Each structure stands twice: as C-alpha cells, then as structure tokens.
Amino acid sequence: MGERFKNKSVLITGGGSGIGRAAAKAFALEGAKVLVSDIDGDAAEVVASDIRSAGGLAKAKRADVTEAGQCADLVRAAVDAFGTLDIAFNNAGVAALPYDDFENGTLDEWRRIMSVNADGVFNCIKAEVPAMKAAGGGAIVNTGSVASQLAVQGLAAYVASKHAVAGLTKAAAVDLIKHNIRVNAVCPGMIRTAMSQPLLDNPELAERFLAGVPAGKTGEPEDIAKAVLYLASDDARYVVGTLLTIDGGVMLL
C-alpha cells in the first residue's frame, strides 16, 4: 500500500466498473479512504474484491447522479464515514451507439444522455463544494471525453453532453479556486470498458473508430485512473481547469 493519499477521503461516482473501478482501486492502494458509488450493485463488489481484500478502507453506496438529493446523500455518507471530503471523481456517465444521420437521434435519447453526463456532473459538484470548503479545499476531477473537444459523427447528444462537461469544468474551476478547490477533467479516447464493448464488438464500428487512433489500439481503464490520481494529487496543485486528454493520439489528427 502506498501513502500518496493517506488520510484523504475520496468519492467516486460510476465506480462499479471500467474507469471508475480502476480509479477506486488505485486511490485505495495509495492509502485513500474511498466511497464507491454506482447506480447498480457493482460498487459493493468493487469495495469487497478490489479494496478491502487488499487491506484498503472503502464503503459502497448506490446513487443516481441525475437526482440532486442523492448526490447530496453521497457527500454526507463520505463525510459521515471518513470525516471529510477531500477528492471527488465525478465519473458516472452513459454512452450510445452512433446513428447514421442527425435526424435519427431522438429527444428522449438526448435527454437521457444529457441528464447523466451533464446534469449528473453539475449535481455532484454542487453537492461536493460545501464539504470541500469546510475541509479547507479539495480536488474535483470530472470525466469528459475526446468528444469534449471535437465532433464524432452520429453521436450528437453524447458530444454535446461531453462539451458541457468541458465547459462546466472550466467555469467551476474559475469560480472555486478561490476556495482552494481545484477542478479539472480527464478526456479519454477509446477505452476498453463495459460501456464501449458493444461498439468494439461490432467489427464495422470498431474499425471505423480505431482508424482514427494513431496508437492503433484501445486504452485501458488503468491508463485513465493514473491521470485521475495525478490531477487529484499535490503534484497537480497548480493545475486548474485543465482538460487532460488520454487518447492514443486522436486529437493530433
């Protein structure tokens, strides 16, 4: 066990799988006390199999980030369990398979994606700030995407939601740094997770997306987790409002 985050309290949404799960394990292995949250039951498995079995300290709590009250409950649970809230990784999100033409997108799909990816991050930040102010400061990391910075054909709602995360990250960073709260975002490219697997399992879609990756392969959740830990650490104490891209070179094209 490392000590980079010894005595630090961390809240992770979307922590039951993929990038969130990798980050929860990585924080715990560096000494953090971790509250792992997800909308399904996988958070408890992460706590039991990935963290406590390795000697770490963690708790699990179900939450739907589209509900502001449930985000507030998460923060209270972290403070009640660990005394403070020092770090938050607002990672919960949803994706969608691309469609052929813009007009094939539906308002229901738009609202579903925006409610989780954009409203969810807003709800979490709003809930986290008072606890971090009480602690004298903190670090917030949001999950954006390469789609926070460019367009992806057939994914209008997803692109819009991740552009919203980018803008919210920068705006919150400007507003909150006076309280010693740093806000940044990671912007992953194609990472192999349960969320991306349906796309990767489609040979035509996989070929289309990987053709735009100079590295020629997907990334792994641990690649993003390492970036999250950097942004949350004292090593990034002067990093404010940054969109840290980890994408195998996609943004170079």
Side-chain angles (χ1 to χ4, degrees), residues 17-208:
S17 63
I19 292 168
R21 181 171 191 161
K25 183 176 181 179
F27 272 116
L29 289 175
E30 289 287 348
K33 299 167 286 187
V34 187
L35 181 64
V36 184
S37 177
D38 212 306
I39 198 169
D40 59 29
D42 290 341
E45 180 189 346
V46 172
V47 167
S49 65
D50 290 3
I51 298 178
R52 288 179 180 166
S53 65
L57 179 60
K59 294 191 69 174
K61 185 173 176 61
R62 182 191 181 280
D64 179 351
V65 298
T66 68
E67 298 290 339
Q70 294 191 33
C71 295
D73 288 343
L74 277 180
V75 172
R76 280 193 291 270
V79 173
D80 288 347
F82 307 133
T84 61
L85 178 64
D86 304 299
I87 297 164
F89 180 30
N90 299 321
N91 171 67
V94 292
L97 289 174
Y99 42 79
D100 293 331
D101 297 303
F102 181 88
E103 60 265 30
N104 290 335
T106 67
L107 183 58
D108 285 345
E109 182 75 347
W110 170 275
R111 286 173 172 162
R112 180 183 73 89
I113 292 173
M114 292 295 289
S115 68
V116 179
N117 293 358
D119 296 355
V121 172
F122 176 81
N123 288 338
C124 286
I125 295 174
K126 285 276 289 182
E128 292 151 3
V129 166
M132 289 186 174
K133 288 172 68 174
I140 295 172
V141 183
N142 302 320
T143 296
S145 167
V146 290
S148 295
Q149 303 168 76
L150 48 76
V152 181
Q153 185 178 3
L155 290 174
Y158 183 77
V159 169
S161 73
K162 290 301 185 178
H163 270 66
V165 172
L168 179 57
T169 296
K170 293 178 181 181
V174 169
D175 286 348
L176 297 175
I177 191 59
K178 64 179 176 287
H179 300 297
N180 194 32
I181 300 172
R182 295 185 303 103
V183 185
N184 294 285
V186 286
C187 291
M190 182 57 71
I191 307 301
R192 187 175 294 278
T193 66
M195 187 179 295
S196 66
Q197 200 60 50
L199 186 151
L200 295 172
D201 286 342
N202 183 310
E204 182 179 344
L205 290 176
E207 182 179 3
R208 168 183 155 189

